[in-house]
Amino acid sequence: MFLQLLSEEPGSDSYQYGLLKGKQILSFLSQLMPQKGLYFAGDQLTIAEITAGSILFRLEDAGGLSLADYPRLADWSARLQGRPSWQAIALSSEEWQRVNRIMRVLPMLWERRRRRKSVAES
């Protein structure tokens, strides 16, 4: 889903599919958030926060999706971003743009590699 939003042109079928899947994932994650707990597992930070948080942290930069429609996730994300340990490792905007450029090129490189392998096996 994330790769589709980064690598596909807005309006393409693949991009639209990525948006649909992204909305389903955000809805699912929002439902997992407890009403009163700070994190997925209650009041303790877990690997779930690190995993989901690292993707959702820059979700809006990928385009098309926003945590504004998911207030519990938006609050959760703000809590994560407010942690000193998170701030110490968070990518800057420039670093994120560099990652974004790499993510846009990866599908083309994978396809080229797949084709070369296919030709070599023929």
Side-chain angles (χ1 to χ4, degrees):
M1 172 273 304
F2 199 58
L3 185 58
Q4 288 167 319
L5 295 176
L6 288 173
S7 63
E8 300 293 332
E9 290 297 319
S12 71
D13 289 343
S14 184
Y15 183 87
Q16 293 303 317
Y17 179 75
L19 281 178
L20 175 66
K21 295 306 286 182
K23 289 176 183 178
Q24 290 174 343
I25 291 167
L26 291 175
S27 179
F28 174 74
L29 290 174
S30 185
Q31 291 172 14
L32 288 179
M33 287 299 303
Q35 292 289 337
K36 296 182 180 177
L38 298 175
Y39 303 108
F40 285 114
D43 290 334
Q44 279 187 264
L45 184 73
T46 66
I47 191 74
E49 274 71 38
I50 296 166
T51 303
S54 62
I55 294 170
L56 298 183
F57 173 61
R58 292 288 187 177
L59 183 67
E60 293 179 10
D61 292 339
L65 294 172
S66 171
L67 291 182
D69 296 329
Y70 308 90
R72 288 195 294 185
L73 283 180
D75 291 345
W76 165 83
S77 183
R79 278 193 300 279
L80 282 180
Q81 293 175 39
R83 295 176 62 90
S85 58
W86 191 273
Q87 293 171 2
I89 63 166
L91 295 178
S92 69
S93 293
E94 295 80 25
E95 291 168 323
W96 173 249
Q97 291 305 317
R98 192 169 47 232
V99 168
N100 195 351
R101 283 191 300 275
I102 291 168
M103 294 297 285
R104 289 181 190 274
V105 173
L106 281 178
M108 292 180 280
L109 294 175
W110 292 333
E111 180 62 22
R112 186 182 312 159
R113 183 176 179 202
R114 187 191 65 76
R115 286 182 188 160
R116 285 182 183 163
K117 185 177 179 183
S118 176
V119 168
E121 292 173 351
S122 301

